[in-house]
Each structure stands twice: as structure tokens, then as C-alpha cells.
Amino acid sequence: MDEKQIIAKRIAMELQDGNLVNLGIGIPGLVPNYLEEGKKIVFQAENGVVGLGPLTDEDTYLVNASGMKATILPGGAYIDSLLSFSLIRGGHIDVTVLGALEVDAEGSLASWIIPGKKVPGMGGAMDLVMGARKVIIATTHTNKGKPKILSKCTLPLTAAHQVDLIVTEMAVISVEPDGLHLLEVHPDYSVDDVVNATEAKLIVEKVETMKGM
Amino acid sequence: MKAEISAKEFKNLLKDGLTIMVGGFLTNGTPEKLVDLVVESKVKDLVIICNDGGYENAGVGKLFTNNQVKKLIASHIGTNPVVGDLMQEGEIEVELLPQGSLAEKIRAGGAGLGGILTPTGLDTVVQNGKQIIEVQGKRYLLEEPLTADMALIGGAVVDKYGNLRYLQTTRNFNPIMALASDKVVVEPFETVDEIDPECVITPYPLVDYVYREEK
């Protein structure tokens, strides 16, 4: 498994049967590939579908939030942007999984702009991070060797103090009021490896081997 | 039946400086033929309100490639490099808003509300210049209403009265924009005799014109 597959597989284990889940683009989109048999997750896409199914090549007016042709599962619904974001902002989404440029010890996330370089816009990310009951960040631990998990984000924020869990190819880290707790480490790495690749201070108490690896 | 409108009649409604809402999400549900007619009309200095900047040669993106836009209000422009370039060069103004806030601002405009209060964007650059209001002990951003001179609606199944429902995910911003604009022009993706009243999403009194392509 490559980095992205490790992250997606570990996050799939966090989703509970019956959860309503919104996945961001990139690594989060790989999560459904790793769901345990029999676990029923309902995926919502912010462009207006509840019960999103796999991608398709067939002619359709149904797209996912990346604009790719997709399918809807039995029991699904098409909704407008207002209801879609009412679900998101109103706390009806159990879990959202999103990528990050930076995430910090206070649970703040930066994911939508690199000033002067890249300005894609926030899309639905700010509402998702603010409104979902649980926010999981799916990210590589570093970007070309540079830590992405910082004591404080340097880029403009997507939202402050909203992240609950950070999953990387190296570790699983939870965000608590007293800081970042290192929960699990991938068998290919040591606790020191993770600490050294993390700019933020990690609270290391009871560390387990990363589940599912 | 709502007034049918030809390409020529539609172009006669267009003028420089209009604020136009365009439905669609990454062009899914965008009325491409109406956008093409706006391109042909060569009107300029438009203010475009759309979820995103479309693509270079699709959706509202065509209006940027043709230099017809003064300002874009959207949640995402990452799929159209032309918008980013024009913004960096100072040729156009882009106001980026969280997608849920954009939808609610349009709804507020169409629903006669003075704005909406949302926690989204607090403690980010989105709150710059906006009022923060505390309600029941929680902080919210005041997002003011948005309205437009015209809405271009796509994805629609239109019946003989002008009622609309929408095909699959093409619904997105279309019904909200139909509520918030002075003149609502629909490009039918399909026509039927009558839509079951329980399934009508946009009732016909909101619709001003249904575009009819000349054969």
C-alpha cells in the first residue's frame, strides 16, 4: 500500500455503520474502497446528493462534488444547495474527511489558499469543517519533508478549532483541549520518527500500532 | 404558458453591467446555450454570481475567456485558470465565499430577508469587513443578501405552465437563483406536458421566460 492507501484504509475504520459522511477531494475519495463488508455508510456530496454511489462512464446528469459522473444508491435523494448545506452546517453530517495544507495543535485547518500562488477557493470546506460532527483530516505527514502538522497554521484558515482527528501514513493523532495526542503509529515507523516529522508538540502516552496495518 | 423567448429576444434583454446569477455546479446544471448567447451578445462589465468559475471553455468560464466579466462572486475558481489569471492581473474582482454562505445569501435575497447569521468563516479572512453578532451566547457572521437582475437557469424539466423540476444533481443553485433575480430565464433540458404538483421544485410564477431554440 502507498501512503494514500494507508491513510484511506485507516480512516475507513473510523466510519460507523449508518453514518452520514461527506468526503473531500483527493485522499478522502479513496476511503470507500476500504470499507468493511456489511458496513453501511451513506455518502453525501455537497453539490446535492444523499446516497452517492460509485463513479460511472454512462451518460448522466449526476455528478459528485468533483464534477465527475457518478451514481446514486437505492434510497438516495437529490437536493438543492440550500438543503445540502443545511445538512452540513446543521450538524446532520456525522463525519467529514478532508485534506489539508496545514493542520495545527489547536485543531485549526488551512486547506484553501496559498496566497500569491494558488487561490482555488474554499468551496464547501469551510461549512463542512464548521458543521460536521466529526472532522477527520486525511493528509500525508509531511510535504516534501516539510511538516504539515504545526503548532500554529501559517496559511489562511479554513476554520479554527474544529479538527478532531488527523490520520497520516505515519500516525493517528487526536486533537484534545490540551493538545495533540499520538494514538497510533504505523509499523514502518517509530514514535521518534513521528515526533521528528511533526512540528507541533505531540503528547505521547499510550501509543498503539496503527489499526488494520 | 410562460413567454417563450428566442435567441434574438433573449439577447435584447442583455446589456452591459448586468448582475447575472448562473445556475450549475462545475457546469452541471448550467444553461450552456444561454451562456453562449451572452458570449455572442458581447455585453461587458457583467457581475456574475455562480458557484464556481466553470471551466475555460464551459459554463460561465466562457464569459471570462471572452473578457465580459467585471466581478465574480463564487465559492471556487480552481477549475478555471483563466479566472485566476485575470484576478492576479487585476482585470477582474473575485469575491470568494463559503459555498453554504453563498447559497444562503442568495436565498436571503430571494426570501426578503436582511441576511443570514452563520458560524462559517468565523476567525478566517471571510469575516473581514463583516459584522459579528452574538445570539444565544454564540458568535455568527452576518452575511448580507444577494440579488441579481437576471438568473439563467439550467437542468430544468419544464411543463406547459413553466413549472420546473430538475434532472438529477443539476438542481444545485438553480431553484435558489430563480427566487433571487428580477428576470428568470430557463433553458429547458427536457419538456413535458405537466409536472405532478408534488414534484414541482420551482413554481411557474417565478419563471419569466423559457428559451426556445429556433429550428
Side-chain angles (χ1 to χ4, degrees):
Chain A
M1 280 197 290
D2 68 13
E3 294 172 339
K4 292 176 181 178
Q5 291 167 324
I6 293 167
I7 297 165
K9 185 177 180 197
R10 180 60 191 83
I11 289 173
M13 299 174 75
E14 289 296 309
L15 306 184
Q16 305 299 317
D17 199 43
N19 277 174
L20 180 58
V21 175
N22 183 299
L23 300 177
I25 55 169
I27 300 172
L30 303 174
V31 170
N33 301 339
Y34 296 97
L35 286 174
E36 290 163 57
E37 196 86 21
K39 206 190 246 183
K40 286 204 172 58
I41 306 294
V42 183
F43 290 103
Q44 186 251 13
E46 63 267 27
N47 57 309
V49 55
V50 176
L52 184 73
L55 298 177
T56 180
D57 291 327
E58 280 172 38
D59 214 16
T60 176
Y61 286 106
L62 166 51
V63 301
N64 66 15
S66 301
M68 295 157 86
K69 287 179 182 176
T71 51
I72 191 167
L73 299 176
Y78 299 115
I79 56 179
D80 66 31
S81 300
L82 273 181
L83 182 53
S84 188
F85 280 90
S86 297
L87 292 177
I88 289 168
R89 225 188 295 94
H92 307 282
I93 303 289
D94 296 300
V95 181
T96 187
V97 183
L98 296 168
L101 293 166
E102 296 173 345
V103 56
D104 74 23
E106 296 173 356
S108 298
L109 170 71
S111 65
W112 69 280
I113 181 173
I114 305 175
K117 279 191 185 160
K118 216 172 168 203
V119 189
M122 65 290 281
M126 283 191 177
D127 297 284
L128 279 162
V129 181
M130 188 56 79
R133 301 174 79 90
K134 183 171 184 178
V135 177
I136 301 178
I137 298 305
T139 178
T140 53
H141 208 93
T142 58
N143 177 20
K144 294 168 190 149
K146 235 180 111 202
K148 295 177 80 171
I149 305 169
L150 310 176
S151 49
K152 202 153 180 71
C153 289
T154 62
L155 294 169
L157 295 184
T158 306
H161 314 304
Q162 298 295 325
V163 174
D164 297 292
L165 194 72
I166 304 164
V167 178
T168 76
E169 77 283 11
M170 299 180 87
V172 178
I173 296 165
S174 77
V175 183
E176 306 295 339
D178 62 344
L180 301 179
H181 287 242
L182 181 59
L183 302 182
E184 299 174 19
V185 173
H186 188 277
D188 288 356
Y189 302 97
S190 68
V191 169
D192 281 350
D193 290 336
V194 178
V195 170
N196 290 335
T198 310
E199 196 259 331
K201 183 178 176 302
L202 291 178
I203 298 165
V204 183
E205 284 167 350
K206 193 168 150 273
V207 181
E208 295 178 6
T209 302
M210 192 187 280
K211 291 191 191 87
M213 301 301 144
Chain B
M1 180 63 204
K2 284 289 144 172
E4 290 191 329
I5 194 168
S6 68
K8 192 172 164 225
E9 288 162 337
F10 172 65
K11 283 197 254 185
N12 285 339
L13 295 176
L14 300 171
K15 54 180 189 238
D16 292 350
L18 285 182
T19 296
I20 304 180
M21 291 182 179
V22 183
F25 181 107
L26 293 174
T27 74
N28 175 239
T30 297
E32 294 285 356
K33 287 170 193 163
L34 293 178
V35 175
D36 286 340
L37 293 171
V38 179
V39 170
E40 279 175 30
S41 78
K42 297 194 176 78
V43 293
K44 55 185 193 310
D45 297 330
L46 300 173
V47 177
I48 298 296
I49 302 171
C50 186
N51 174 60
D52 50 77
Y55 301 102
E56 209 167 324
N57 294 304
V60 295
K62 294 179 279 198
L63 302 173
F64 296 91
T65 305
N66 203 33
N67 282 312
Q68 293 175 276
V69 183
K70 178 173 69 179
K71 179 177 179 180
L72 171 68
I73 302 175
S75 78
H76 196 267
I77 56 171
T79 53
N80 188 348
V82 174
V83 175
D85 291 347
L86 289 170
M87 180 176 70
Q88 303 285 8
E89 290 158 16
E91 292 291 317
I92 61 168
E93 185 190 340
V94 176
E95 182 178 351
L96 286 168
L97 291 163
Q99 202 170 117
S101 301
L102 178 62
E104 288 289 352
K105 281 165 73 78
I106 296 169
R107 180 185 74 106
L113 300 175
I116 59 109
L117 298 175
T118 177
T120 304
L122 279 174
D123 305 316
T124 77
V125 294
V126 170
Q127 77 175 29
N128 293 351
K130 292 172 186 165
Q131 281 186 65
I132 296 171
I133 294 172
E134 201 172 300
V135 180
Q136 297 175 347
K138 285 188 190 165
R139 290 184 308 142
Y140 297 93
L141 271 192
L142 172 66
E143 290 282 10
E144 295 184 3
L146 276 176
T147 55
D149 299 308
M150 187 181 284
L152 307 183
I153 303 300
V157 177
V158 186
D159 74 7
K160 63 185 174 192
Y161 305 100
N163 288 312
L164 311 180
R165 64 178 177 83
Y166 298 89
L167 296 165
Q168 300 181 302
T169 50
T170 63
R171 191 181 308 182
N172 53 64
F173 280 82
N174 279 304
I176 321 168
M177 290 176 167
L179 204 60
S181 304
D182 288 345
K183 285 206 167 50
V184 175
V185 186
V186 177
E187 174 182 320
F189 281 31
E190 211 179 295
T191 52
V192 296
D193 185 53
E194 206 173 318
I195 298 171
D196 180 338
E198 288 188 349
C199 299
V200 171
I201 305 293
T202 301
Y204 77 85
L206 290 172
V207 175
D208 295 295
Y209 301 104
V210 176
Y211 171 64
R212 192 182 59 174
E213 213 170 350
E214 280 117 54
K215 294 284 177 296

